[in-house]
Amino acid sequence: MDLAQLQALAAAVEAGTLDGAARLLHVTPSAVSQRLRALESATGQVLLVRSRPVVPTEAGAAVLRLARQVQLLVDDTTAQLTGDAAPGPTAVPVAVNADSLATWFLPAVAPLADRVQLDVRVADQSLTSALLRDGTVMAAVTADPVAVPGCSVTRLGAMTYRPMATAGFARSWFAEGATPAELRRAPVVVFDRTDDLQAAYLRRRTHDRPAPPVHFVPASADHLLAVRLGLGWGMVPDLQTGPDDGLVEVDPDGAVDVVLWWQQWKLRSPGLDALAGAVRGAARAALV
């Protein structure tokens, strides 16, 4: 394996096609194809499924992690050697859950804009570690406490979610409180189909798997807006609510703490280390 071959693999996955990879690397598609074939020959493995977009195989994901780790080391070393002529901030792809991104994460990393070039991938906290595992990102805010191979893991704290609704919605649907009978019927606002917060709360309160009407609103701010507009009740993080937002807690015993962890490559990199320090510091201040 050599650097040009690894760069071809990373570029192909990033661009989704060999033609796109060629444009990223300023070479011909034929050169990209030759480098990929040579890399597959060197590893003795098929590394890419030549679909549109191309997809790394399980072996390809392992080599992709190596490719991105090597590129990070190359970029850091180049910056050290060139001094003031450094090419620019370190590119750091990172996976973050939407509610963290909408509340405490961006203010934490904003001061690093001249040192770190962020490539944020948004996914549910239960899924972000998968992006770390397949080499898509270097670090992740995740609900997974088990370290991905080759990564370190640090507890950040917990985001507290509560079942909230407008006062009018609560009067209409929960006049006698959030009883199991009413929870089975009341409309609910859910982030997307990977968001299990509301379903887990319903299972706990009703002891079954109810199927109330569901509104899917896959953006953190818009999910909150949908609850504020009375489309339904939803699990809303404390970091997004305040005394003047017009929402009420429909079940005083319904709070759920979602513990978040920071996982990152064990590689030492000034850009990655700076990002980790900023994230951990902000989490200590914002989370419980």
Side-chain angles (χ1 to χ4, degrees):
M1 291 183 283
D2 67 27
L3 181 59
Q5 295 167 1
L6 294 172
Q7 288 173 331
L9 177 66
V13 174
E14 180 177 348
T17 65
L18 302 196
D19 287 346
R23 287 191 292 272
L24 288 176
L25 297 175
H26 306 291
V27 299
T28 65
S30 176
V32 172
S33 181
Q34 290 172 10
R35 292 175 189 182
L36 290 173
R37 285 199 301 270
L39 185 58
E40 290 181 325
S41 177
T43 58
Q45 301 277 347
V46 175
L47 302 178
L48 284 180
V49 178
R50 267 67 167 182
S51 55
R52 294 185 70 89
V54 297
V55 178
T57 63
E58 184 176 353
V63 179
L64 179 62
R65 285 197 301 272
L66 171 65
R68 288 181 166 151
Q69 290 168 350
V70 169
Q71 190 62 56
L72 178 63
L73 293 174
V74 169
D75 291 344
D76 285 344
T77 302
T78 300
Q80 292 176 25
L81 293 175
T82 55
D84 292 339
T90 301
V92 180
V94 57
V96 185
N97 61 306
D99 290 334
S100 290
L101 188 65
T103 53
W104 62 272
F105 184 84
L106 285 179
V109 301
L112 303 176
D114 60 340
R115 300 174 58 189
V116 175
Q117 179 182 318
L118 286 174
D119 179 1
V120 177
R121 311 296 177 95
V122 180
D124 186 81
Q125 60 270 5
S126 64
L127 303 176
T128 48
S129 64
L131 299 176
L132 195 60
R133 186 172 290 105
D134 68 14
T136 301
V137 298
M138 299 177 184
V141 176
T142 176
D144 188 354
V146 180
V148 171
C151 295
S152 61
V153 57
T154 305
R155 188 184 191 276
L156 294 176
M159 291 187 73
T160 300
Y161 291 76
R162 303 178 194 276
M164 307 291 286
T166 63
F169 185 93
R171 284 193 300 270
S172 296
W173 288 97
F174 302 124
E176 304 299 325
T179 64
E182 295 304 322
L183 286 169
R184 290 186 178 94
R185 301 189 309 111
V188 56
V189 182
V190 175
F191 184 83
D192 62 19
R193 288 167 176 79
T194 67
D195 177 13
D196 191 52
L197 275 175
Q198 284 79 197
Y201 166 77
L202 286 171
R203 290 193 297 270
R204 177 164 59 88
R205 288 287 284 110
T206 64
H207 304 292
D208 61 13
R209 294 177 177 271
V214 175
H215 301 287
F216 291 103
V217 185
S220 186
D222 294 333
H223 177 270
L224 176 62
L225 178 60
V227 175
R228 285 177 170 166
L229 291 174
L231 271 71
W233 68 271
M235 299 297 290
V236 179
D238 283 355
L239 291 177
Q240 283 188 312
T241 60
D244 301 322
D245 61 12
L247 297 182
V248 298
E249 193 172 358
V250 301
D251 181 359
D253 298 321
V256 175
D257 286 339
V258 176
V259 179
L260 299 176
W261 305 79
W262 176 253
Q263 294 208 35
Q264 69 174 76
W265 291 351
K266 288 181 179 177
L267 273 179
R268 297 305 305 273
S269 160
L272 187 54
D273 289 348
L275 179 65
V279 168
R280 290 194 296 263
R284 283 194 297 270
L287 306 182
V288 297

